[in-house]
Amino acid sequence: MKPKLRIHHTAIFVMVGLIILVSRLAYIQLFATESFSKHHVNLIEESVQQRTQGIVLDNGRGRFVDRNGDPLYNDYYPSLILFPFLKQMEWPVDEVARIIGTRKSYLEETVQLAEGPVVLGGDQPLRLSETQMNELNDLKVPGIIATYYETDNNSISAEHFIGIVRENEELLKERYEEKLEKGYISTRTPIGITGLQRAFDEFLVQEGEAKLLYHVDNQGQPLFGLNVKYTAPSNPFYPLVINTTLEKKVQDEAERLIDESGLKKGGLVLLDIQSRDVLAMVSRPHMDMGNPFQNDGGKNYMILPQVPGSIFKIVTATAAIENVDLRGRRFNCDLNLYGDKPASRLLGQLDFVDSFAQSCNNTFAELANEMISVNDNIIDEYAEKLGLTTPVGWNGEVFHYRSFSHFPEEVASIIWKDERDKGAERAIAQTAIGQKEVRISPLAVANMVATIADDGRVKQVRGVDKIIYKNGAVLFEFPKQTLADEKLSPYTISKLQQLLREVVESGTGKVFRTLPYTVAGKSGTAEIGSTGYENKWFVGYFPVERPRYALVVVNMQVNSWETQTNDVFADMVKIIHNLNNDL
């Protein structure tokens, strides 16, 4: 190639490259300044941030509190924020120290060590009163600002109940395509993945942080004077607060108790019988926040169906009370489940009440086969009357949601997987005592016993009481709702209450006779396939005279000799009694 031609081609190549580069720069400067690349980066904000120091007061996502308004994580209260440029000016350190009741030297040292804005108290900020906050702000000193600040206490009460928040661009686009297109949120906005965080995500999703900002030069000195700017989303009603039904003191004690007991898999549910509110819910294993779905730690086992074992005899007993003449009838409890071999516990001839109290398998296998020979749907019908055939969590209409659920991950109970089992005596026998394919969640079990204690009223279980605006006004209040229209007869309910009480008086729950509250309930031991492990349950309500609480504890996949279930149930009753006495 001739030299001139080569130079000519090179010049054209360079010119085309420059045109492309200039065009790209022009596009970025003129058209993509607020939404650059697939990540929708705001270049103006990024350039400002290079010359900005600041502190995030809250991340803009809604918060969760317990029934009394106490935070379940990340507390939010008035705090004192000091800016580093105070070290270059005279400021009323004596007056500030007097207002907040601390040492002058502590304030001076905090400012001298500050490289950016700092919250007084560090990881555990000093909690100010409203009066102190107003007095400090009345000083009108640049760099001294008292305001509400969200603390990260690295501790979450009811981690599975509350759930987790993560960045998930695909899921975010699916949920909030319009908000994303309008720039209200970015692809990096965290969203709720599990628990209440998932259920209430649309009410919680952040549309911007609240910050205190000031601009600095390349030496870190303030530009444009000493002005500190407050920035936050313009809507004064947000972020919202989700007022849950939990009682934080009870929840914290329940978590401590479960962990100290050594219970590795399982947990507990505590319900208020009248309102059917969740007062405490603990699921184990613990959730690893760094990798929440590792080793099933992200699952809330309290809302997932488990093998119930003899807990299910409550259903079989209910059907028998209403459909079988039990007067004077006795059952051979020296026989096993199928009536063809000796039982592992030789209990002799027992009537119906004692059969329930001693959890005699043969009695309920015999009764179930007898009833199903007349009506093969009878177990299903009474499971429905006790609220077991559908999810039990609150579900209803909330604004544009036709079917809003407090527990979107809850799975309904299973009674039969194969309808042909209703024609097989052994399958019926196993189903009658909560084995075979029977699966019920601990939440549904607790609600079933609460239904019996509440004279047969089948209600939905609430996890949240109301949604509250930032200013304290109520956005939405969740009404108490029934789960099934048909109630069991007063006689049946009275008989079931007697059966559950007899378990504690003379049966498998005698260990609970000395508790400070009188308890009625039912134990359950479920074989887990051929693993050799068992699920161990106890569910009950108390005090019997005026039922207030329904509690279920389950220890999953354990050896037959392990006793954490009974220990946790008994200690939990004692804790609630002590807390009530302290109020």
Side-chain angles (χ1 to χ4, degrees):
M1 183 180 293
K2 295 180 179 179
K4 286 186 178 181
L5 186 59
R6 187 164 50 246
I7 292 172
H8 180 70
H9 286 168
T10 301
I12 292 174
F13 178 79
V14 170
M15 185 174 295
V16 169
L18 288 172
I19 290 172
I20 293 173
L21 181 60
V22 170
S23 299
R24 178 65 170 166
L25 289 172
Y27 169 77
I28 292 172
Q29 291 289 330
L30 297 176
F31 303 106
T33 54
E34 296 185 4
S35 184
F36 176 67
S37 85
K38 65 178 182 179
H39 297 295
H40 303 281
V41 177
N42 190 315
L43 296 175
I44 296 176
E45 288 184 358
E46 293 294 323
S47 65
V48 170
Q49 287 177 8
Q50 292 180 6
R51 288 288 181 263
T52 300
Q53 287 190 8
I55 186 168
V56 176
L57 302 177
D58 70 71
N59 64 16
R61 186 171 177 85
R63 300 180 297 115
F64 290 93
V65 299
D66 81 344
R67 65 198 297 115
N68 303 310
D70 293 329
L72 294 171
Y73 66 95
N74 289 16
D75 209 346
Y76 189 68
Y77 55 80
S79 303
L80 176 58
I81 299 168
L82 301 172
F83 282 74
F85 54 71
L86 287 170
K87 65 183 75 172
Q88 273 91 47
M89 56 182 283
E90 293 291 329
W91 58 287
V93 61
D94 293 290
E95 183 66 7
V96 174
R98 180 195 65 78
I99 292 172
I100 65 176
T102 192
R103 294 177 289 106
K104 171 184 175 181
S105 58
Y106 173 53
L107 293 172
E108 291 175 328
E109 182 182 2
T110 299
V111 170
Q112 286 302 316
L113 294 175
E115 296 181 359
V118 293
V119 182
L120 192 66
D123 292 337
Q124 294 185 327
L126 177 68
R127 184 187 292 266
L128 304 176
S129 67
E130 294 279 347
T131 301
Q132 288 172 318
M133 180 173 68
N134 293 332
E135 282 189 57
L136 289 167
N137 290 332
D138 286 344
L139 295 175
K140 293 183 170 48
V141 176
I144 298 175
I145 295 177
T147 187
Y148 276 86
Y149 175 76
E150 183 179 44
T151 67
D152 184 358
N153 56 21
N154 295 314
S155 174
I156 300 178
S157 293
E159 58 191 9
H160 295 87
F161 181 83
I162 297 299
I164 59 172
V165 175
R166 288 290 184 274
E167 290 183 14
N168 186 319
E169 184 175 342
E170 182 178 345
L171 189 56
L172 183 137
K173 287 179 178 177
E174 181 183 322
R175 290 184 190 172
Y176 307 116
E177 183 177 5
E178 186 176 347
K179 286 186 177 183
L180 193 61
E181 289 176 352
K182 292 182 177 180
Y184 295 150
I185 57 176
S186 75
T187 54
R188 305 294 301 274
T189 299
I191 57 175
I193 303 298
T194 66
L196 295 185
Q197 293 279 19
R198 170 185 168 184
F200 287 83
D201 192 56
E202 185 158 334
F203 298 99
L204 297 167
V205 66
Q206 63 200 62
E207 295 186 4
E209 300 170 323
K211 304 176 184 178
L212 293 175
L213 304 172
Y214 74 105
H215 302 291
V216 297
D217 60 21
N218 60 1
Q219 301 298 317
Q221 301 302 313
L223 289 169
F224 317 124
L226 302 177
N227 293 323
V228 175
K229 181 181 179 183
Y230 173 82
T231 67
S234 58
N235 195 325
F237 299 106
Y238 290 81
L240 297 172
V241 176
I242 308 299
N243 203 107
T244 72
T245 60
L246 294 182
E247 181 79 52
K248 189 174 187 299
K249 287 183 179 179
V250 178
Q251 176 69 34
D252 290 345
E253 284 293 294
E255 303 229 17
R256 177 191 61 78
L257 183 59
I258 288 285
D259 291 337
E260 290 180 358
S261 76
L263 190 153
K264 303 297 184 186
K265 188 173 184 179
L268 66 78
V269 177
L270 179 70
L271 299 182
D272 180 299
I273 288 174
Q274 297 304 314
S275 65
R276 224 58 65 89
D277 288 346
V278 177
L279 300 178
M281 180 182 285
V282 182
S283 179
R284 291 294 180 266
H286 267 294
M287 188 186 301
D288 179 353
M289 291 302 176
N291 189 1
F293 298 104
Q294 181 181 21
N295 299 324
D296 291 334
K299 290 182 178 179
N300 184 354
Y301 284 105
M302 298 303 98
I303 60 174
L304 299 178
Q306 315 299 334
V307 187
S310 294
I311 296 293
F312 194 73
K313 288 175 183 172
I314 295 172
V315 178
T316 309
T318 306
I321 291 168
E322 294 207 343
N323 294 277
V324 178
D325 185 359
L326 298 167
R327 291 173 297 179
R329 186 161 173 183
R330 302 185 73 79
F331 303 87
N332 187 353
C333 291
D334 283 340
L335 295 177
N336 69 358
L337 176 63
Y338 308 117
D340 58 1
K341 292 180 181 178
S344 58
R345 293 183 303 141
L346 301 179
L347 300 170
Q349 296 287 325
L350 299 180
D351 63 14
F352 178 68
V353 173
D354 287 337
S355 291
F356 188 87
Q358 298 297 335
S359 205
C360 170
N361 289 338
N362 187 50
T363 299
F364 293 91
E366 184 178 328
L367 288 170
N369 271 288
E370 189 176 315
M371 291 186 290
I372 286 178
S373 68
V374 177
N375 175 3
D376 60 6
N377 289 319
I378 196 161
I379 299 296
D380 311 67
E381 291 171 6
Y382 282 89
E384 182 178 1
K385 290 180 181 181
L386 287 165
L388 295 182
T389 55
T390 60
V392 302
W394 196 97
N395 188 284
E397 188 171 344
V398 179
F399 301 124
H400 60 278
Y401 293 102
R402 304 290 297 179
S403 184
F404 185 90
S405 173
H406 285 191
F407 306 102
E409 295 142 288
E410 182 189 3
V411 177
S413 303
I414 300 168
I415 310 301
W416 311 88
K417 270 193 175 179
D418 189 340
E419 288 291 311
R420 292 174 296 180
D421 284 343
K422 294 178 180 180
E425 288 188 6
R426 286 181 171 249
I428 293 170
Q430 292 171 23
T431 301
I433 66 165
Q435 292 285 168
K436 195 69 169 98
E437 306 298 343
V438 182
R439 302 290 186 273
I440 310 176
S441 73
L443 183 66
V445 168
N447 195 44
M448 173 176 65
V449 170
T451 295
I452 295 169
D454 196 21
D455 295 330
R457 299 177 183 89
V458 188
K459 301 174 183 176
Q460 293 183 355
V461 176
R462 297 193 309 174
V464 171
D465 176 30
K466 53 195 170 187
I467 305 172
I468 305 172
Y469 284 119
K470 184 178 181 179
N471 64 2
V474 175
L475 170 62
F476 187 86
E477 189 162 1
F478 293 93
K480 300 176 180 67
Q481 298 185 157
T482 58
L483 187 63
D485 296 329
E486 189 175 357
K487 266 180 65 174
L488 294 165
S489 71
Y491 171 80
T492 302
I493 290 297
S494 176
K495 195 68 177 176
L496 287 170
Q497 291 171 349
Q498 177 196 351
L499 292 177
L500 294 173
R501 181 61 184 146
E502 197 61 37
V503 169
V504 176
E505 284 296 307
S506 64
T508 56
K510 287 188 292 186
V511 67
F512 304 119
R513 282 185 300 183
T514 59
L515 292 176
Y517 285 130
T518 51
V519 173
K522 182 73 182 78
S523 60
T525 300
E527 297 176 1
I528 310 301
S530 59
T531 64
Y533 293 113
E534 300 173 343
N535 285 351
K536 291 200 165 187
W537 300 73
F538 196 85
V539 60
Y541 66 88
F542 55 93
V544 169
E545 299 80 12
R546 297 185 65 184
R548 185 175 175 187
Y549 304 102
L551 172 64
V552 60
V553 180
V554 58
N555 196 9
M556 295 164 53
Q557 299 176 15
V558 294
N559 295 301
S560 59
W561 60 83
E562 297 188 56
T563 63
Q564 289 98 330
T565 300
N566 286 353
D567 296 339
V568 170
F569 190 97
D571 287 343
M572 196 67 200
V573 173
K574 294 173 187 176
I575 285 169
I576 294 168
H577 182 268
N578 292 337
L579 286 173
N580 284 338
N581 284 345
D582 291 341
L583 294 178

